[in-house]
């Protein structure tokens, strides 16, 4: 749990993702990070490696937001599964989306078994297989389209 904070709420790192806002939108989705009221931080599963640069950006933005909300040396409770993109990219290039879906769904299950209370997919393209991931897990999954829709409302 993070200590109760007072004062003016800030914003997540404005840098956003490389070429986009994905991590910042996930932060503002609001379902997972320690709030200003001191509720527990949830263990977040980051399914990444597609590309690793994007995954690192998610981790950076999420941790900055936890630190902003909780202060001190607080950081997010993360479990990171970084796939080798040289395995995933050929599936994309040859339209083997079913195989890609199976791969990512099985990796999401491993994150859930590791105690993750929420799964975040740290890539935009692979959200094409989000339905397979959601069907395989029993914890919330943040889909970039949902986070984006919430942000524009």
């Amino acid at each position: 749990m993070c200590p109760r904070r007072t004062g003016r709420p800030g914003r997540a790192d404005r840098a956003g993702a490389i070429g986009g806002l994905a991590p910042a939108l996930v932060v503002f989705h609001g379902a997972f990070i320690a709030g200003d009221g001191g509720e527990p931080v949830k263990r977040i599963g980051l399914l990444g490696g597609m590309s690793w640069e994007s995954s690192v950006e998610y981790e950076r933005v999420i941790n900055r937001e936890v630190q902003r909300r909780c202060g001190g040396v607080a950081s997010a409770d993360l479990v990171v599964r970084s796939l080798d993109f040289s395995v995933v990219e050929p599936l994309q290039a040859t339209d083997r989306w079913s195989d890609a879906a199976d791969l990512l769904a099985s990796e999401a299950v491993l994150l859930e078994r590791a105690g993750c209370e929420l799964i975040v997919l740290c890539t935009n393209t692979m959200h094409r297989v989000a339905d397979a991931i959601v069907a395989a897990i029993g914890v919330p999954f943040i889909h970039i389209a949902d986070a984006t829709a919430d942000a524009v409302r």
Side-chain angles (χ1 to χ4, degrees):
M1 297 181 73
C2 65
R4 185 170 185 81
R5 292 190 61 211
T6 59
R8 190 177 133 204
R11 298 213 35 159
D13 188 320
R14 293 174 187 252
I18 298 170
L21 295 173
L25 292 174
V26 169
V27 165
F28 288 115
H29 197 275
F32 68 91
I33 229 170
D36 293 329
E39 59 268 17
V41 176
K42 291 186 178 184
R43 178 168 293 156
I44 306 164
L46 298 181
L47 185 53
M50 303 158 277
S51 71
W52 66 264
E53 294 95 344
S54 177
S55 304
V56 168
E57 192 68 9
Y58 274 79
E59 186 171 351
R60 185 183 67 77
V61 170
I62 290 168
N63 274 304
R64 287 227 173 124
E65 182 64 7
V66 168
Q67 189 173 42
R68 182 195 68 79
R69 290 186 186 198
C70 298
V73 295
S75 61
D77 184 356
L78 301 175
V79 177
V80 179
R81 176 61 180 108
S82 184
L83 299 173
D84 178 356
F85 193 47
S86 73
V87 173
V88 177
E89 190 278 332
L91 301 177
Q92 293 175 335
T94 57
D95 279 337
R96 293 173 48 205
W97 294 104
S98 178
D99 292 337
D102 291 345
L103 174 63
L104 269 61
S106 67
E107 295 297 336
V109 167
L110 293 177
L111 288 170
E112 182 178 16
R113 287 183 186 157
C116 296
E117 301 168 80
L118 176 84
I119 308 293
V120 177
L121 184 57
C122 303
T123 177
N124 293 334
T125 303
M126 295 309 289
H127 273 83
R128 289 182 62 166
V129 302
D131 289 344
I133 296 170
V134 169
I137 59 176
V139 297
F141 173 81
I142 292 188
H143 191 296
I144 191 64
D146 295 334
T148 302
D150 287 351
V152 297
R153 284 187 192 144

